[in-house]
Amino acid sequence: MLDENKPRKKPLVQVKNLKMHFPIYRGILKRQVGAIKAVDGISFDIFEGETLGLVGESGCGKSTVGRCVLRLYEVTDGSIDINGTDIATLSGVELRAKRPEMQMIFQDPQASLNPRMTVGSIISEPLDEHMIMTRDEKRERVGELMDAVGLARRFADRYPHEFSGGQRQRIGIARALALNPKFIVCDEPIAALDVSIQAQVVNLLEDLQQKFGLTYLFISHDLSMVRHLATRVAVMYLGRLVELGDAETLYMTPRHPYTQALLSAVPHPDPAQAGNIERIILKGDVPSPANPPPGCTFSTRCPRAQAKCKQDSPKWREIGEGHFAACHFIE
Amino acid sequence: MKDTNAAILDVVNLKTVFSTRDGEVHAVNNVSFSLKPGELLGIVGESGSGKSVTMMSLLKLLPMPPAEIRSGVIEFDGQDIRQISDEELRRIRGGEIGFIFQDPMTSLNPVFTVGFQLVEPLRVHMGLSRKAAKKRAAELLELVGIPDAPARLKDFPHQFSGGMRQRVMIAIALACDPKVLIADEPTTALDVTIQAQILELIKELRQKLGMAIVWITHDLGVIAEIADRVAVMYAGQIVEHAEVKELFANPQHPYTRALLETLPKMNEARGTRLASIDGQPPNLDHTPVSCEFSPRCPYAFERCRKENPQRREISSAHDVACFWDFTSGGPFDA
């Protein structure tokens, strides 16, 4: 390290030039006629112990990124380095050995829990798969996990349908924690919950991060919740990152026109201010990722777009300390 | 609490009950509100608080049975909707009262073109000819900001994006110049940038057309932006009702206060812990005999567990159903 006083944080996850293209097949011969470029060349780091928020509109590819990072999809191109190993190229056996380090919390707590399994068996399934433990040890571990997420141990023999949405999400969190992971991808974990329950789950995620030193990739479309939770935030648009920076800086002084429009669109729960907020209303919809516009993908909706934007794709570059953006017109 | 100041819609003590295998579910309990012409009333509450059922009850859009409107008066434009014939009710539905549903994907018919679905109410309610209806349909699509409107009438719902589909829904609801528009979570399924477009559109249409709107949502941010008055629902009852600025500046029900506190602020420092409401919303399997919020309420005392508080007025346009008085910091004496 050059600067002794300022120790650089260590990246736990390093994603480089990640691409995920889903082929489109047509006709009797099922020939490939194109590809949906769900993720088209993105790079970012996640430092140990931090929460990286990933925001964007639906269909921009944020969930696909989350799944690629855990290699739930076979990525088209790029490398994903988690704790020193590039998981994009690991063989099945090696990948399986790596799985305990990285886990996921899913959006829909109803769909991600098997309705025919008891809560106890859902939480202990990862233990069955990856650990050699006696039945008593497993029961003890399940009990610990249920304590950690705030579920009473006596519920272990119940089924998911007997729980409310917030409690089901707690079951999903307990399952993700079972193998002491370092890194957890949270894919819209609160989107399906009511406002008053959202706060409970977010507080739980924060407590667990503190307690177990977890690193999160927090995917969400709820910009105010991401601001609350994330250390750094990445903004995605149509398969690419448009801006990434420290949460505070990004929310206070967004630089990319898309980030500016996105942040200005969030309604403020304060009617006294409702008239004073300058709002950038974007025209039109997000273009199809099967046929993205040439040049800058945001150029079709950008209020500042010029001829150049429709031809050249802007480079992803550092515009301030730890602050990245992809736009021709940022100094 | 009957407001006779020329209300276009006046609902008094509405009670809707569902019969299920496991007994009755009291989804709406003594809900009263009124709506003046040109006004936007916001209804906020969590899922299961009875917001949608209240509105569906107004037009008998619920399957009956299992649903049953047990009591109440629903007065629309001087006539009691509960007493009129099905024939007349059909005239009001989609004609004088327009309805926008939450999910634009499932509330449009996928096998008919958008044009067909727009023309239908115009022909039925307004008695327009095929040609006139088509022309009006194109105008409506243009009104809600769909580019190239005449050509898009031939498209099917799946050919529109989510935001565009919601615009089509709004166009259908507006087709017959309704006096009242009921919007049931119209922007919940949409992205923020599209939501901002729709909110702008509604503000603009209100100025142009001057109809009264009931806007159901769970998003307090949206309410702050567009509503004139707000009613907060919890467990099938209205617990607080006030003008929008008053409600946000001076919330009087512990539930409203807690709801406002659970919201993360866009301009707040990171690291502060979110306030959360502990516990779960109640089961609605009985008529309320105590305050339904009392098990989750930090201010609850003896009386809250024995008696269901009725709405009481604190100031001219602000009422709350709670025994606790925040101004004196003690129980309210009747």
Side-chain angles (χ1 to χ4, degrees), chain A residues 277-318:
Chain A
I277 297 158
E278 220 174 294
R279 180 147 295 166
I280 307 163
I281 305 266
L282 290 179
K283 300 261 182 335
D285 288 307
V286 185
S288 155
N291 184 20
C296 173
T297 46
F298 185 54
S299 62
T300 51
R301 298 172 82 194
C302 182
R304 280 199 248 154
Q306 314 251 325
K308 187 185 179 188
C309 302
K310 309 222 189 276
Q311 288 154 12
D312 301 338
S313 188
K315 280 214 173 59
W316 179 245
R317 61 202 165 92
E318 193 158 7

mmCIF file of all heavy atoms in Angstrom, chain A residues 277-318:
data_model
loop_
_atom_site.group_PDB
_atom_site.id
_atom_site.type_symbol
_atom_site.label_atom_id
_atom_site.label_comp_id
_atom_site.label_asym_id
_atom_site.label_seq_id
_atom_site.Cartn_x
_atom_site.Cartn_y
_atom_site.Cartn_z
ATOM 1 N N ILE A 277 -40.343 20.472 -5.391
ATOM 2 C CA ILE A 277 -39.356 19.550 -5.936
ATOM 3 C C ILE A 277 -39.334 19.646 -7.452
ATOM 4 O O ILE A 277 -40.363 19.553 -8.113
ATOM 5 C CB ILE A 277 -39.670 18.117 -5.495
ATOM 6 C CG1 ILE A 277 -39.573 18.035 -3.982
ATOM 7 C CG2 ILE A 277 -38.719 17.145 -6.152
ATOM 8 C CD1 ILE A 277 -40.319 16.904 -3.405
ATOM 9 N N GLU A 278 -38.146 19.849 -7.973
ATOM 10 C CA GLU A 278 -38.020 19.893 -9.422
ATOM 11 C C GLU A 278 -37.958 18.469 -9.933
ATOM 12 O O GLU A 278 -37.117 17.684 -9.511
ATOM 13 C CB GLU A 278 -36.761 20.653 -9.803
ATOM 14 C CG GLU A 278 -36.999 21.532 -11.000
ATOM 15 C CD GLU A 278 -35.786 22.381 -11.281
ATOM 16 O OE1 GLU A 278 -35.454 23.251 -10.458
ATOM 17 O OE2 GLU A 278 -35.177 22.139 -12.314
ATOM 18 N N ARG A 279 -38.864 18.147 -10.789
ATOM 19 C CA ARG A 279 -38.956 16.758 -11.220
ATOM 20 C C ARG A 279 -38.576 16.645 -12.686
ATOM 21 O O ARG A 279 -39.038 17.414 -13.516
ATOM 22 C CB ARG A 279 -40.396 16.295 -10.999
ATOM 23 C CG ARG A 279 -40.633 14.898 -11.384
ATOM 24 C CD ARG A 279 -41.664 14.270 -10.504
ATOM 25 N NE ARG A 279 -41.185 14.183 -9.130
ATOM 26 C CZ ARG A 279 -41.962 13.918 -8.098
ATOM 27 N NH1 ARG A 279 -43.241 13.748 -8.267
ATOM 28 N NH2 ARG A 279 -41.456 13.822 -6.896
ATOM 29 N N ILE A 280 -37.725 15.671 -12.967
ATOM 30 C CA ILE A 280 -37.389 15.408 -14.359
ATOM 31 C C ILE A 280 -38.269 14.242 -14.805
ATOM 32 O O ILE A 280 -38.132 13.130 -14.291
ATOM 33 C CB ILE A 280 -35.906 15.011 -14.502
ATOM 34 C CG1 ILE A 280 -35.018 16.058 -13.838
ATOM 35 C CG2 ILE A 280 -35.542 14.828 -15.964
ATOM 36 C CD1 ILE A 280 -33.613 15.575 -13.555
ATOM 37 N N ILE A 281 -39.211 14.512 -15.680
ATOM 38 C CA ILE A 281 -40.080 13.427 -16.143
ATOM 39 C C ILE A 281 -39.491 12.868 -17.431
ATOM 40 O O ILE A 281 -39.342 13.587 -18.421
ATOM 41 C CB ILE A 281 -41.510 13.945 -16.403
ATOM 42 C CG1 ILE A 281 -42.058 14.647 -15.168
ATOM 43 C CG2 ILE A 281 -42.403 12.818 -16.892
ATOM 44 C CD1 ILE A 281 -42.873 13.824 -14.251
ATOM 45 N N LEU A 282 -39.161 11.581 -17.392
ATOM 46 C CA LEU A 282 -38.611 10.949 -18.586
ATOM 47 C C LEU A 282 -39.728 10.626 -19.560
ATOM 48 O O LEU A 282 -40.791 10.186 -19.161
ATOM 49 C CB LEU A 282 -37.886 9.660 -18.209
ATOM 50 C CG LEU A 282 -36.590 9.809 -17.433
ATOM 51 C CD1 LEU A 282 -36.042 8.436 -17.129
ATOM 52 C CD2 LEU A 282 -35.584 10.614 -18.226
ATOM 53 N N LYS A 283 -39.474 10.827 -20.811
ATOM 54 C CA LYS A 283 -40.463 10.459 -21.824
ATOM 55 C C LYS A 283 -40.266 8.990 -22.192
ATOM 56 O O LYS A 283 -39.153 8.500 -22.216
ATOM 57 C CB LYS A 283 -40.260 11.314 -23.080
ATOM 58 C CG LYS A 283 -40.400 12.811 -22.849
ATOM 59 C CD LYS A 283 -41.792 13.251 -23.266
ATOM 60 C CE LYS A 283 -42.040 14.742 -23.136
ATOM 61 N NZ LYS A 283 -41.258 15.487 -22.181
ATOM 62 N N GLY A 284 -41.380 8.345 -22.500
ATOM 63 C CA GLY A 284 -41.297 7.011 -23.080
ATOM 64 C C GLY A 284 -40.895 5.921 -22.105
ATOM 65 O O GLY A 284 -40.827 6.127 -20.895
ATOM 66 N N ASP A 285 -40.648 4.735 -22.675
ATOM 67 C CA ASP A 285 -40.345 3.553 -21.882
ATOM 68 C C ASP A 285 -38.931 3.068 -22.148
ATOM 69 O O ASP A 285 -38.277 3.505 -23.080
ATOM 70 C CB ASP A 285 -41.316 2.437 -22.254
ATOM 71 C CG ASP A 285 -42.702 2.721 -21.735
ATOM 72 O OD1 ASP A 285 -42.838 2.973 -20.533
ATOM 73 O OD2 ASP A 285 -43.637 2.705 -22.546
ATOM 74 N N VAL A 286 -38.532 2.094 -21.321
ATOM 75 C CA VAL A 286 -37.231 1.475 -21.505
ATOM 76 C C VAL A 286 -37.245 0.669 -22.809
ATOM 77 O O VAL A 286 -38.160 -0.117 -23.019
ATOM 78 C CB VAL A 286 -36.938 0.546 -20.310
ATOM 79 C CG1 VAL A 286 -35.551 -0.021 -20.408
ATOM 80 C CG2 VAL A 286 -37.135 1.275 -19.004
ATOM 81 N N PRO A 287 -36.258 0.844 -23.692
ATOM 82 C CA PRO A 287 -36.238 0.053 -24.929
ATOM 83 C C PRO A 287 -36.025 -1.431 -24.640
ATOM 84 O O PRO A 287 -35.604 -1.798 -23.543
ATOM 85 C CB PRO A 287 -35.039 0.619 -25.707
ATOM 86 C CG PRO A 287 -34.647 1.866 -25.016
ATOM 87 C CD PRO A 287 -35.133 1.763 -23.612
ATOM 88 N N SER A 288 -36.319 -2.274 -25.636
ATOM 89 C CA SER A 288 -36.172 -3.709 -25.440
ATOM 90 C C SER A 288 -34.702 -4.111 -25.405
ATOM 91 O O SER A 288 -33.920 -3.677 -26.245
ATOM 92 C CB SER A 288 -36.869 -4.441 -26.589
ATOM 93 O OG SER A 288 -36.282 -5.704 -26.748
ATOM 94 N N PRO A 289 -34.311 -4.956 -24.449
ATOM 95 C CA PRO A 289 -32.914 -5.373 -24.384
ATOM 96 C C PRO A 289 -32.525 -6.310 -25.534
ATOM 97 O O PRO A 289 -31.353 -6.589 -25.725
ATOM 98 C CB PRO A 289 -32.806 -6.074 -23.037
ATOM 99 C CG PRO A 289 -34.188 -6.371 -22.624
ATOM 100 C CD PRO A 289 -35.107 -5.454 -23.343
ATOM 101 N N ALA A 290 -33.509 -6.795 -26.299
ATOM 102 C CA ALA A 290 -33.176 -7.631 -27.456
ATOM 103 C C ALA A 290 -32.647 -6.757 -28.590
ATOM 104 O O ALA A 290 -31.942 -7.216 -29.465
ATOM 105 C CB ALA A 290 -34.405 -8.398 -27.930
ATOM 106 N N ASN A 291 -33.032 -5.487 -28.563
ATOM 107 C CA ASN A 291 -32.657 -4.597 -29.640
ATOM 108 C C ASN A 291 -32.333 -3.226 -29.056
ATOM 109 O O ASN A 291 -33.041 -2.256 -29.304
ATOM 110 C CB ASN A 291 -33.850 -4.534 -30.620
ATOM 111 C CG ASN A 291 -33.530 -3.723 -31.825
ATOM 112 O OD1 ASN A 291 -32.348 -3.508 -32.137
ATOM 113 N ND2 ASN A 291 -34.552 -3.224 -32.494
ATOM 114 N N PRO A 292 -31.261 -3.150 -28.278
ATOM 115 C CA PRO A 292 -30.970 -1.875 -27.613
ATOM 116 C C PRO A 292 -30.544 -0.817 -28.632
ATOM 117 O O PRO A 292 -29.992 -1.165 -29.672
ATOM 118 C CB PRO A 292 -29.823 -2.221 -26.669
ATOM 119 C CG PRO A 292 -29.220 -3.448 -27.214
ATOM 120 C CD PRO A 292 -30.256 -4.173 -27.973
ATOM 121 N N PRO A 293 -30.812 0.455 -28.361
ATOM 122 C CA PRO A 293 -30.424 1.506 -29.297
ATOM 123 C C PRO A 293 -28.905 1.581 -29.422
ATOM 124 O O PRO A 293 -28.193 1.244 -28.467
ATOM 125 C CB PRO A 293 -30.998 2.774 -28.655
ATOM 126 C CG PRO A 293 -31.234 2.431 -27.238
ATOM 127 C CD PRO A 293 -31.486 0.977 -27.171
ATOM 128 N N PRO A 294 -28.403 2.013 -30.574
ATOM 129 C CA PRO A 294 -26.950 2.145 -30.738
ATOM 130 C C PRO A 294 -26.428 3.295 -29.887
ATOM 131 O O PRO A 294 -27.186 4.175 -29.482
ATOM 132 C CB PRO A 294 -26.793 2.459 -32.237
ATOM 133 C CG PRO A 294 -28.094 3.065 -32.630
ATOM 134 C CD PRO A 294 -29.135 2.431 -31.757
ATOM 135 N N GLY A 295 -25.130 3.279 -29.644
ATOM 136 C CA GLY A 295 -24.526 4.334 -28.839
ATOM 137 C C GLY A 295 -24.910 4.178 -27.389
ATOM 138 O O GLY A 295 -24.975 3.069 -26.861
ATOM 139 N N CYS A 296 -25.185 5.273 -26.726
ATOM 140 C CA CYS A 296 -25.597 5.243 -25.323
ATOM 141 C C CYS A 296 -27.025 4.703 -25.256
ATOM 142 O O CYS A 296 -27.917 5.231 -25.923
ATOM 143 C CB CYS A 296 -25.520 6.646 -24.733
ATOM 144 S SG CYS A 296 -26.207 6.745 -23.082
ATOM 145 N N THR A 297 -27.243 3.663 -24.443
ATOM 146 C CA THR A 297 -28.574 3.039 -24.411
ATOM 147 C C THR A 297 -29.637 3.971 -23.842
ATOM 148 O O THR A 297 -30.817 3.792 -24.081
ATOM 149 C CB THR A 297 -28.557 1.749 -23.562
ATOM 150 O OG1 THR A 297 -27.866 2.019 -22.353
ATOM 151 C CG2 THR A 297 -27.906 0.621 -24.305
ATOM 152 N N PHE A 298 -29.203 4.977 -23.106
ATOM 153 C CA PHE A 298 -30.172 5.893 -22.506
ATOM 154 C C PHE A 298 -30.517 7.048 -23.454
ATOM 155 O O PHE A 298 -31.414 7.837 -23.182
ATOM 156 C CB PHE A 298 -29.610 6.434 -21.183
ATOM 157 C CG PHE A 298 -30.552 7.304 -20.405
ATOM 158 C CD1 PHE A 298 -31.825 6.843 -20.077
ATOM 159 C CD2 PHE A 298 -30.197 8.570 -20.006
ATOM 160 C CE1 PHE A 298 -32.712 7.630 -19.366
ATOM 161 C CE2 PHE A 298 -31.070 9.378 -19.285
ATOM 162 C CZ PHE A 298 -32.330 8.897 -18.969
ATOM 163 N N SER A 299 -29.828 7.132 -24.580
ATOM 164 C CA SER A 299 -29.979 8.307 -25.448
ATOM 165 C C SER A 299 -31.412 8.521 -25.937
ATOM 166 O O SER A 299 -31.812 9.647 -26.201
ATOM 167 C CB SER A 299 -29.028 8.208 -26.634
ATOM 168 O OG SER A 299 -29.350 7.071 -27.413
ATOM 169 N N THR A 300 -32.218 7.443 -26.029
ATOM 170 C CA THR A 300 -33.590 7.617 -26.525
ATOM 171 C C THR A 300 -34.482 8.379 -25.543
ATOM 172 O O THR A 300 -35.506 8.914 -25.925
ATOM 173 C CB THR A 300 -34.256 6.260 -26.808
ATOM 174 O OG1 THR A 300 -34.108 5.440 -25.651
ATOM 175 C CG2 THR A 300 -33.644 5.577 -28.006
ATOM 176 N N ARG A 301 -34.105 8.398 -24.270
ATOM 177 C CA ARG A 301 -34.953 9.073 -23.280
ATOM 178 C C ARG A 301 -34.238 10.228 -22.597
ATOM 179 O O ARG A 301 -34.822 10.909 -21.764
ATOM 180 C CB ARG A 301 -35.390 8.075 -22.194
ATOM 181 C CG ARG A 301 -36.212 6.920 -22.710
ATOM 182 C CD ARG A 301 -36.425 5.894 -21.618
ATOM 183 N NE ARG A 301 -37.508 6.252 -20.723
ATOM 184 C CZ ARG A 301 -37.713 5.675 -19.548
ATOM 185 N NH1 ARG A 301 -36.889 4.743 -19.125
ATOM 186 N NH2 ARG A 301 -38.722 6.052 -18.787
ATOM 187 N N CYS A 302 -32.980 10.414 -22.930
ATOM 188 C CA CYS A 302 -32.160 11.371 -22.193
ATOM 189 C C CYS A 302 -32.497 12.802 -22.595
ATOM 190 O O CYS A 302 -32.520 13.136 -23.773
ATOM 191 C CB CYS A 302 -30.689 11.094 -22.472
ATOM 192 S SG CYS A 302 -29.579 12.177 -21.578
ATOM 193 N N PRO A 303 -32.742 13.668 -21.612
ATOM 194 C CA PRO A 303 -33.044 15.066 -21.946
ATOM 195 C C PRO A 303 -31.830 15.811 -22.493
ATOM 196 O O PRO A 303 -31.976 16.858 -23.106
ATOM 197 C CB PRO A 303 -33.513 15.661 -20.611
ATOM 198 C CG PRO A 303 -33.015 14.744 -19.554
ATOM 199 C CD PRO A 303 -32.865 13.404 -20.172
ATOM 200 N N ARG A 304 -30.619 15.275 -22.278
ATOM 201 C CA ARG A 304 -29.418 15.981 -22.700
ATOM 202 C C ARG A 304 -28.765 15.356 -23.935
ATOM 203 O O ARG A 304 -27.657 15.713 -24.301
ATOM 204 C CB ARG A 304 -28.388 15.966 -21.570
ATOM 205 C CG ARG A 304 -28.660 17.018 -20.513
ATOM 206 C CD ARG A 304 -27.384 17.240 -19.715
ATOM 207 N NE ARG A 304 -27.533 16.759 -18.367
ATOM 208 C CZ ARG A 304 -26.524 16.357 -17.611
ATOM 209 N NH1 ARG A 304 -25.308 16.354 -18.089
ATOM 210 N NH2 ARG A 304 -26.729 15.945 -16.381
ATOM 211 N N ALA A 305 -29.439 14.362 -24.538
ATOM 212 C CA ALA A 305 -28.805 13.599 -25.608
ATOM 213 C C ALA A 305 -28.465 14.478 -26.809
ATOM 214 O O ALA A 305 -29.220 15.366 -27.175
ATOM 215 C CB ALA A 305 -29.717 12.458 -26.042
ATOM 216 N N GLN A 306 -27.292 14.225 -27.398
ATOM 217 C CA GLN A 306 -26.842 14.923 -28.602
ATOM 218 C C GLN A 306 -26.556 13.866 -29.675
ATOM 219 O O GLN A 306 -26.628 12.673 -29.401
ATOM 220 C CB GLN A 306 -25.541 15.674 -28.304
ATOM 221 C CG GLN A 306 -25.579 16.432 -27.023
ATOM 222 C CD GLN A 306 -25.640 17.916 -27.233
ATOM 223 O OE1 GLN A 306 -25.063 18.436 -28.172
ATOM 224 N NE2 GLN A 306 -26.353 18.591 -26.369
ATOM 225 N N ALA A 307 -26.175 14.329 -30.865
ATOM 226 C CA ALA A 307 -25.905 13.402 -31.969
ATOM 227 C C ALA A 307 -24.847 12.367 -31.582
ATOM 228 O O ALA A 307 -24.981 11.178 -31.875
ATOM 229 C CB ALA A 307 -25.452 14.181 -33.190
ATOM 230 N N LYS A 308 -23.845 12.808 -30.868
ATOM 231 C CA LYS A 308 -22.750 11.930 -30.465
ATOM 232 C C LYS A 308 -23.240 10.710 -29.668
ATOM 233 O O LYS A 308 -22.730 9.594 -29.831
ATOM 234 C CB LYS A 308 -21.773 12.747 -29.630
ATOM 235 C CG LYS A 308 -20.500 12.026 -29.276
ATOM 236 C CD LYS A 308 -19.657 12.882 -28.348
ATOM 237 C CE LYS A 308 -18.380 12.134 -27.987
ATOM 238 N NZ LYS A 308 -17.630 12.828 -26.946
ATOM 239 N N CYS A 309 -24.242 10.947 -28.812
ATOM 240 C CA CYS A 309 -24.726 9.890 -27.927
ATOM 241 C C CYS A 309 -25.353 8.738 -28.706
ATOM 242 O O CYS A 309 -25.395 7.610 -28.236
ATOM 243 C CB CYS A 309 -25.764 10.442 -26.958
ATOM 244 S SG CYS A 309 -25.151 11.779 -25.975
ATOM 245 N N LYS A 310 -25.898 9.050 -29.860
ATOM 246 C CA LYS A 310 -26.576 8.007 -30.625
ATOM 247 C C LYS A 310 -25.591 7.137 -31.398
ATOM 248 O O LYS A 310 -25.960 6.122 -31.973
ATOM 249 C CB LYS A 310 -27.582 8.636 -31.600
ATOM 250 C CG LYS A 310 -28.498 9.621 -30.910
ATOM 251 C CD LYS A 310 -29.936 9.498 -31.360
ATOM 252 C CE LYS A 310 -30.814 10.607 -30.849
ATOM 253 N NZ LYS A 310 -31.369 10.492 -29.540
ATOM 254 N N GLN A 311 -24.317 7.564 -31.447
ATOM 255 C CA GLN A 311 -23.311 6.785 -32.175
ATOM 256 C C GLN A 311 -22.312 6.094 -31.247
ATOM 257 O O GLN A 311 -22.097 4.895 -31.338
ATOM 258 C CB GLN A 311 -22.542 7.699 -33.137
ATOM 259 C CG GLN A 311 -23.395 8.115 -34.313
ATOM 260 C CD GLN A 311 -22.930 9.447 -34.877
ATOM 261 O OE1 GLN A 311 -21.857 9.940 -34.548
ATOM 262 N NE2 GLN A 311 -23.759 10.031 -35.723
ATOM 263 N N ASP A 312 -21.725 6.882 -30.356
ATOM 264 C CA ASP A 312 -20.677 6.303 -29.518
ATOM 265 C C ASP A 312 -21.224 5.883 -28.168
ATOM 266 O O ASP A 312 -21.942 6.628 -27.525
ATOM 267 C CB ASP A 312 -19.575 7.347 -29.258
ATOM 268 C CG ASP A 312 -18.964 7.829 -30.552
ATOM 269 O OD1 ASP A 312 -19.087 7.083 -31.541
ATOM 270 O OD2 ASP A 312 -18.410 8.937 -30.564
ATOM 271 N N SER A 313 -20.826 4.707 -27.788
ATOM 272 C CA SER A 313 -21.182 4.248 -26.458
ATOM 273 C C SER A 313 -20.232 4.906 -25.460
ATOM 274 O O SER A 313 -19.014 4.839 -25.628
ATOM 275 C CB SER A 313 -21.045 2.733 -26.431
ATOM 276 O OG SER A 313 -21.549 2.244 -25.248
ATOM 277 N N PRO A 314 -20.764 5.574 -24.440
ATOM 278 C CA PRO A 314 -19.865 6.262 -23.505
ATOM 279 C C PRO A 314 -19.060 5.274 -22.673
ATOM 280 O O PRO A 314 -19.532 4.198 -22.340
ATOM 281 C CB PRO A 314 -20.825 7.062 -22.627
ATOM 282 C CG PRO A 314 -22.129 6.369 -22.733
ATOM 283 C CD PRO A 314 -22.176 5.731 -24.082
ATOM 284 N N LYS A 315 -17.841 5.679 -22.340
ATOM 285 C CA LYS A 315 -16.957 4.803 -21.545
ATOM 286 C C LYS A 315 -17.319 4.884 -20.072
ATOM 287 O O LYS A 315 -17.736 5.897 -19.568
ATOM 288 C CB LYS A 315 -15.507 5.259 -21.732
ATOM 289 C CG LYS A 315 -14.908 4.764 -23.013
ATOM 290 C CD LYS A 315 -13.411 4.468 -22.826
ATOM 291 C CE LYS A 315 -12.849 3.804 -24.053
ATOM 292 N NZ LYS A 315 -13.020 4.669 -25.240
ATOM 293 N N TRP A 316 -17.100 3.777 -19.393
ATOM 294 C CA TRP A 316 -17.267 3.693 -17.938
ATOM 295 C C TRP A 316 -15.994 4.234 -17.316
ATOM 296 O O TRP A 316 -14.937 3.648 -17.481
ATOM 297 C CB TRP A 316 -17.499 2.230 -17.579
ATOM 298 C CG TRP A 316 -17.665 1.906 -16.127
ATOM 299 C CD1 TRP A 316 -16.826 1.157 -15.372
ATOM 300 C CD2 TRP A 316 -18.760 2.259 -15.284
ATOM 301 N NE1 TRP A 316 -17.316 1.036 -14.107
ATOM 302 C CE2 TRP A 316 -18.501 1.703 -14.014
ATOM 303 C CE3 TRP A 316 -19.927 3.001 -15.462
ATOM 304 C CZ2 TRP A 316 -19.363 1.857 -12.944
ATOM 305 C CZ3 TRP A 316 -20.786 3.152 -14.391
ATOM 306 C CH2 TRP A 316 -20.501 2.593 -13.148
ATOM 307 N N ARG A 317 -16.069 5.388 -16.671
ATOM 308 C CA ARG A 317 -14.824 5.992 -16.191
ATOM 309 C C ARG A 317 -15.023 6.616 -14.813
ATOM 310 O O ARG A 317 -16.154 6.897 -14.405
ATOM 311 C CB ARG A 317 -14.334 7.041 -17.178
ATOM 312 C CG ARG A 317 -15.300 8.181 -17.370
ATOM 313 C CD ARG A 317 -15.060 8.892 -18.677
ATOM 314 N NE ARG A 317 -16.209 9.733 -18.980
ATOM 315 C CZ ARG A 317 -16.309 11.018 -18.622
ATOM 316 N NH1 ARG A 317 -15.352 11.595 -17.959
ATOM 317 N NH2 ARG A 317 -17.393 11.697 -18.926
ATOM 318 N N GLU A 318 -13.913 6.831 -14.131
ATOM 319 C CA GLU A 318 -13.963 7.401 -12.792
ATOM 320 C C GLU A 318 -14.069 8.916 -12.916
ATOM 321 O O GLU A 318 -13.272 9.553 -13.579
ATOM 322 C CB GLU A 318 -12.698 7.020 -12.014
ATOM 323 C CG GLU A 318 -12.810 7.304 -10.534
ATOM 324 C CD GLU A 318 -11.843 6.475 -9.696
ATOM 325 O OE1 GLU A 318 -10.996 5.779 -10.288
ATOM 326 O OE2 GLU A 318 -11.946 6.520 -8.454
#
